[in-house]
Amino acid sequence: MLRFRNPGTQFETQLLAFRQVYSALGEQAIFGLEDIAKALATNGLMTAYGYAGNDALQLSKTEQESKNSTLMNAKMYAEVFRMLGWVTPATANSSYPLAFTYIGAHIALSDDDCSKLYEQCVLGINNPTEFSGKMHYEEKTRFFTSALKSLVSLDGVMYKHELCLGPMSVDDQDKAKYQTMLKRIRNLRGNYERLKVAFEKLANNLGMKTTPVDNCTRLPIALMKHCNWIQKVTNSTLYNKSMVCLQITEHGKEIVKQTSQMKDLRLDEFQKYDKKKQCALIRLGIYSMLERAGYDISEVSTVIAQDKKLCADVLKGQEILFSPYQTIRRFLIEEALGIHFGTAQVSEANNNDTNTKTQTQHSNQIHIFSPANYSSTQKGASDREETELRNEILKLHKNGYSSKAIVKHLMEKYEDATQKEFYPLIATIFRILGFSCSYSRPGDNGARWDAIIDHSESSIPIEIKSPTEERHISIKAIRQALENKIILLSRRTHITQPSTSSLAVGYFLPNERAEVDSLIDAIHKTYGYNIGVFGFSTLLDLAVTCVTQDKTLKFAALSAVRGVINENI
Amino acid sequence: MKIFKSRNTANSFFLLKDEPQAIIFDKSSKPLWLLKDGSKHNTTCLHCTEKYCLQFSPLEIQPPLKNFPTLPIKEVCPSGALKWDDKRQCPTVDSQKCIQCGFCVKRCPAKAIYFQNGIHVSMETNNINVYQNSGRENDSELHDKQMAYLKSLPFQALNISEYSSVIREIYGKLIHADSSVRELFVRNLLIILGIPTSLRRTGDVYTRMDAIYKIGSKVGPLEIEFGQDTLSASRRILDDIAILHTRYKLDKMIQLPLVVCLTLPNARQGYWQVIRDIKKVEKISISTITVGVLLIFLWHAEKLNINIDDYYIDYDNMSMRAVAESQLKIKIPIAEGFLGLLEPQK
């Protein structure tokens, strides 16, 4: 099956980014990912951790290339530009560095939005090409004409998974295979379970999970939508179930009609011709793309007429459908057109050298497990919930469980806890730690916080996310912790100070650690408030220490925490 | 190296024989050009080179803040209903997709696009007050002058006698629209009202605000809330203010935070109190305005002069009727509580 990666699918952003890169680097540039990153970041078209310009470039320097957000962003753009034939590998043997193409120059220098040339570039995507040696798929197809043709054959409507099972997995010029594919899809229809099983089987055969296979449809759907070939519709008849499907538009049908009357030239056939004919086919391919996209190419009409004459036996009176830059390497194309891109000196950055990289720390890790933060002060009387949890911890401890094992046991016990169970539990743990903590009933809109540590001077509101609400604490909880702080200061239901922390507690610590860290940092710099974040295991760890060592946590250890509280003791 | 020119930008525009003194809107007919000699002619598409009805100029969509990761969409029509028909060389409306917002109507200098049970484009190839550009040297210059003149004609209230029913229809379509359409709708509405606005580029998770906008020299974060979760909008906007404060060096006290919603939250919802809490504690006023009020400005106002600062409403005053009526200088013919446009529904 064809694997379309999932880079940015917004046409306008792609166009703006490409024009920016072209203008910044110059048409003769030979460039790499760092050059693209720099051109985009310095013009505010790419950010890293929310920062733009040089800040973005500095922030994203990291040891691992896959974690370098600006480089990965640049790679995403480069892949789209290359797929559309706007840039091409500059050398004969490797994917990078890149050079601009003649089609790319038209995209960059046109006054209008280039949507028609973009459409031609989408039609130009085909496989195999001279660059597709490393691909994990072998289908021989011009996917988009094949997909549109399939839509017409399948009553104008397809579900996205049918794209994977159909036109993404078939050699479109093999008539027998193509008809079998259509028949197979028709046979799947009427029963959603059949489709589901077929899709799972496909993913299994590809050695992939179903989600990444599903993701492979995002780019082609976005491209087809942008070209106004398809629209999304809700359909209940295909699989007797309401599903968002893809319906071919009138313009899409028009494209099927036009392309079916064209000479669709692919790599294997192209390679059979002699060089003279190949050059003529290259010129015809490029000029016909431009002409269909609305460019006035009358200046080269004599050349076109001569080339058509030379290639009459290939074309047989048909218009050519062939995008050279999306099929072959640039050298013969440039020779055929009498142009030359990529004459500039190779810059050092083109090798994607990462020797100046430094690791950037984003996390505000707080350690509150220092012995100095504990007090030997005995707690007062315990309530029933507190006693039960204490007894459970003590029992496990007596049975030889280590602290780590007790935490693990309790983590597993509460992994499916709902708000109703989890909120009181968190309040109980804070009481075990030595604080006067009560929870708000879920749905009680009067108390915005989910629990609160009541203190004579510095009460602390707590935002809680149960594992059934969100597994990993997110920026949503941080925002709510900020709101809790403001409400408490405004409504004064409990006494507090601006400098006292507001807490967010979740089952796991944030997945997007950098986002949460940067938000906590921004909140502190902007409003002056401290937001502290606890994972459930951290709280349990503290509780186990307090119960087994008969201690409590000092209020000062908690009252001004800011950032993600480190789990590692 | 030869870079070819697009035929799409070729000069295929029309010119006016006589410039109209005014454009007349009548409920029962197409808009008319009133000429100096008193004669009236149907308006017709002039195939203007700028295609105002379809696209904003690069200047109009320039981000109000340097380095803001902007979604550079040029389209005026948020639902993609208005397209250029190459064969007929004029815009066409897909009535299935059309939200009837009237953005294209407002943008068309010739007023060849109009409301009449939907949006229509007047395309008369035999209109006696126009002639096709014949490629003469000064035709382009004349075309630009005529466009500038048409745009300078006083804007008249559009042909909408009953705001409530039109807004109900638009709301019905917006509720079911994709979030990208809704966001584009709000951005375009604000731009057409003269408020530079940029949507955040899709996928930039570190710049979380829906959009930013600018009035005078002040910039503010914008949250677009079309559902019932307005509390999340007030939370998000605090996050937005912090991002602009720390990363764009825009002091929190000079920002103009704004929530644009479809319907005002009900009186009992926490939003109103939280907005008041934020003002009390942080001295930050978060303004709230509905899409409906912005549309009324779009359709009614002769000159657009919205002061967003005036749209601070909270638990103590949840109505924007008085301020909107005072700015529009009309009594808005919409019943109290209707769709939560001017005050909460309940």
Side-chain angles (χ1 to χ4, degrees), chain B residues 14 17 30 43-45 47 87-90 122-132:
Chain B
F14 282 72
K17 283 182 186 159
K30 292 178 178 180
T43 59
T44 186
C45 175
H47 307 185
K87 284 181 192 155
R88 296 173 61 219
Q89 282 290 301
C90 71
S122 173
M123 178 61 209
E124 295 185 344
T125 47
N126 56 354
N127 190 303
I128 59 164
N129 194 42
V130 300
Y131 63 99
Q132 189 159 14

Side-chain angles (χ1 to χ4, degrees), chain A residues 446-503:
Chain A
R448 309 291 327 172
W449 39 84
D450 299 318
I452 190 159
I453 294 173
D454 192 18
H455 187 269
S456 57
E457 291 173 3
S458 303
S459 297
I460 301 174
I462 307 170
E463 183 64 31
I464 305 172
K465 292 289 174 197
S466 68
T468 47
E469 286 173 282
E470 55 183 37
R471 208 82 179 143
H472 292 263
I473 205 159
S474 69
I475 51 170
K476 227 169 129 184
I478 310 303
R479 287 172 179 156
Q480 283 175 275
L482 169 63
E483 185 189 90
N484 292 343
K485 182 74 202 170
I486 290 172
I487 290 174
L488 191 56
L489 284 167
S490 169
R491 301 183 196 173
R492 297 178 188 171
T493 51
H494 298 71
I495 300 168
T496 194
Q497 309 301 321
S499 60
T500 307
S501 297
S502 180
L503 299 181

Side-chain angles (χ1 to χ4, degrees), chain A residues 171-444:
Chain A
D171 294 355
D172 66 337
Q173 289 186 323
D174 185 326
K175 286 182 183 166
K177 281 186 185 170
Y178 186 77
Q179 288 306 322
T180 308
M181 174 274 283
L182 290 178
K183 196 176 166 191
R184 189 173 169 230
I185 290 179
R186 283 197 196 100
N187 288 339
L188 289 173
R189 290 188 170 181
N191 183 328
Y192 180 70
E193 208 42 44
R194 274 201 301 261
L195 173 73
K196 203 175 153 211
V197 169
F199 186 65
E200 282 167 359
K201 198 174 163 192
L202 171 74
N204 197 34
N205 289 343
L206 296 168
M208 295 165 77
K209 293 201 167 161
T210 51
T211 306
V213 178
D214 177 278
N215 284 345
C216 287
T217 64
R218 289 171 73 170
L219 181 67
I221 290 172
L223 291 175
M224 288 196 282
K225 261 185 84 181
H226 178 76
C227 292
N228 191 27
W229 297 339
I230 59 163
Q231 59 191 10
K232 287 193 175 176
V233 290
T234 307
N235 182 298
S236 313
T237 55
L238 282 192
Y239 289 94
N240 299 319
K241 182 180 184 304
S242 178
M243 297 160 92
V244 177
C245 292
L246 314 168
Q247 184 181 52
I248 192 164
T249 61
E250 286 307 312
H251 180 56
K253 288 178 192 167
E254 186 66 25
I255 292 291
V256 174
K257 205 171 148 191
Q258 283 171 13
T259 53
S260 64
Q261 289 161 359
M262 290 180 187
K263 166 66 189 174
D264 184 345
L265 184 67
R266 305 283 173 89
L267 179 66
D268 47 1
E269 184 185 346
F270 174 81
Q271 286 173 332
K272 286 180 192 161
Y273 299 119
D274 63 45
K275 189 176 171 186
K276 196 175 174 193
K277 201 170 265 181
Q278 283 182 341
C279 287
L281 289 166
I282 286 169
R283 285 189 292 271
L284 288 171
I286 287 189
Y287 293 147
S288 68
M289 283 175 79
L290 291 171
E291 186 170 32
R292 285 193 294 272
Y295 287 82
D296 181 1
I297 57 160
S298 49
E299 276 186 50
V300 287
S301 55
T302 315
V303 178
I304 292 172
Q306 285 166 355
D307 288 339
K308 277 186 177 170
K309 205 171 162 188
L310 180 69
C311 301
D313 58 328
V314 181
L315 299 177
K316 296 190 175 70
Q318 291 178 304
E319 192 176 335
I320 193 167
L321 179 62
F322 173 53
S323 173
Y325 281 114
Q326 290 165 283
T327 314
I328 60 172
R329 291 197 179 268
R330 70 180 177 122
F331 309 104
L332 190 61
I333 304 172
E334 292 185 359
E335 192 181 330
L337 295 172
I339 56 170
H340 197 59
F341 281 93
T343 56
Q345 293 291 312
V346 180
S347 79
E348 283 179 25
N350 288 337
N351 299 321
N352 300 323
D353 185 8
T354 50
N355 57 4
T356 56
K357 288 164 190 166
T358 53
Q359 183 72 40
T360 305
Q361 291 290 331
H362 290 280
S363 50
N364 302 304
Q365 292 187 346
I366 315 291
H367 301 263
I368 63 167
F369 296 90
S370 152
N373 284 327
Y374 291 97
S375 150
S376 301
T377 313
Q378 297 299 303
K379 258 187 62 45
S382 298
D383 54 47
R384 186 174 57 84
E385 292 88 356
E386 195 188 324
T387 308
E388 279 175 9
L389 185 57
R390 277 178 174 279
N391 288 344
E392 187 174 2
I393 292 170
L394 283 170
K395 193 175 164 190
L396 291 166
H397 184 60
K398 272 184 192 165
N399 287 342
Y401 277 57
S402 66
S403 295
K404 208 173 166 185
I406 298 172
V407 169
K408 187 169 178 278
H409 172 84
L410 292 170
M411 282 292 283
E412 284 168 3
K413 182 176 175 183
Y414 293 104
E415 69 178 342
D416 295 320
T418 60
Q419 296 176 34
K420 209 174 159 188
E421 192 178 9
F422 203 67
Y423 292 8
L425 176 67
I426 297 300
T428 302
I429 293 174
F430 276 108
R431 288 201 299 280
I432 286 177
L433 300 184
F435 310 119
S436 167
C437 187
S438 57
Y439 71 95
S440 314
R441 280 186 309 281
D444 178 358

